[in-house]
Amino acid sequence: MTNSQFETVSYSDSGTKEVSKTSSAESVKLEMGENAEIDASLERRTMRFIDWRILPLLALLYSFALIDRINLGAAYTAGMGADLGLAKGARYSIATCLYFVPYILLQLPGNLVLRKFGVRNWLTFSIAAWGAVQLAMGFVPTWGYLTAARILLGALEASFFPAMVFIISTWYKRHEVQKRLAIFYLISITMSGISPILAYIFSLLDGKRNIRGWAWIFIIEGTITLFLGVLSWFFIPNFPDKNTFLTPEQTALVLRRIDEDRGDSIPDKITRSKVLKHLRDWTLWSYGKLT
């Protein structure tokens, strides 16, 4: 049997019979057979490779999302507060807090389009776009432009962390996800801890090319983020059923593990009714309030 596509029969929520084309990844899974035993040695090697292939890169990308989010305080100390008049009234608080309005509102919509546009396309766009905004913050002439840039930054970063969690969760069994998310988050937080040190070093460029030290913080960190956006285009991992870095045998193994655990290695179509169903789940809202 080859990796050519198969026709499969599925049923919609209304019971209507539908015929769909499975992906080549699903074809590999079908070839493996429902009763085939998973090679323990292959499984260990494959999951170890996935850990090293996915977690460090995603943690690096998210660490710079955190750095770009929290460097406003360092820039304020480096002279931005005086230059832009942020000490007057509640200007600094407004510039800081308005970031979170689009950041909160756009998390769900950003995740809903992740599969539609593709992981590589959507996340590369997000990273490169907020990197460009971060760089532009080094040239803002007034606090109003700074606030507008912060709002745009929040909109562009909104879907990034939920996307990281979504991607990681699709690669592992449910009891394995928590450990991987902990590793991802700890690496990100630890790496982002260098933000004040980086900001201090960059601020020492004060006066170079007639640019203030606080502006160099945004310019250099924005440039680094743009570079990471290019890097993500080539290396950011896709969902298991669309990955390109595993062999067909390894892909089949990963898909079968997920199917045995929760039966959703090949996702079903996102519909409005399904979204509303989960939005009506009070346990999700309760958990959100607790966290």
Side-chain angles (χ1 to χ4, degrees), residues 11-192:
Y11 292 85
S12 64
D13 293 338
S14 61
T16 304
K17 185 177 180 180
E18 299 174 346
V19 178
S20 62
K21 295 288 187 178
T22 63
S23 65
S24 59
E26 188 176 5
S27 302
V28 172
K29 184 181 69 170
L30 290 172
E31 288 181 26
M32 192 173 184
E34 294 299 326
N35 299 319
E37 294 183 3
I38 294 178
D39 186 316
S41 177
L42 175 63
E43 182 178 17
R44 285 194 301 270
R45 292 196 309 271
T46 300
M47 299 315 297
R48 188 182 303 116
F49 175 67
I50 291 171
D51 288 341
W52 283 103
R53 179 63 176 76
I54 292 179
L55 300 180
L57 176 60
L58 297 188
L60 173 64
L61 295 174
Y62 185 58
S63 69
F64 266 86
L66 293 174
I67 289 173
D68 291 343
R69 184 188 311 172
I70 65 178
N71 58 12
L72 196 67
Y76 181 92
T77 305
M80 182 181 68
D83 290 353
L84 301 185
L86 291 176
K88 184 177 180 180
R91 289 180 176 180
Y92 179 72
S93 297
I94 292 172
T96 302
C97 294
L98 286 183
Y99 163 92
F100 292 99
V101 176
Y103 185 80
I104 293 171
L105 295 177
L106 297 178
Q107 285 192 358
L108 179 58
N111 241 20
L112 289 175
V113 300
L114 186 59
R115 276 196 176 270
K116 178 179 177 59
F117 293 122
V119 171
R120 185 173 68 169
N121 296 334
W122 182 245
L123 294 186
T124 297
F125 163 76
S126 297
I127 297 168
W130 93 58
V133 171
Q134 182 74 191
L135 189 154
M137 285 170 63
F139 301 97
V140 293
T142 66
W143 80 277
Y145 282 102
L146 175 69
T147 302
R150 287 284 295 178
I151 294 172
L152 187 56
L153 187 70
L156 294 169
E157 287 190 358
S159 63
F160 191 71
F161 179 71
M164 298 294 97
V165 176
F166 186 15
I167 293 168
I168 292 173
S169 66
T170 60
W171 280 92
Y172 300 97
K173 294 182 179 181
R174 284 171 292 183
H175 72 275
E176 298 170 338
V177 171
Q178 293 86 346
K179 180 180 179 181
R180 269 66 180 194
L181 288 178
I183 293 172
F184 158 76
Y185 201 66
L186 285 173
I187 294 175
S188 302
I189 294 296
T190 302
M191 293 178 68
S192 66

Side-chain angles (χ1 to χ4, degrees), residues 57 60-61 124 225-236:
L57 176 60
L60 173 64
L61 295 174
T124 297
T225 303
L226 282 170
F227 169 75
L228 291 176
V230 175
L231 190 70
S232 68
W233 173 262
F234 295 100
F235 297 107
I236 200 163

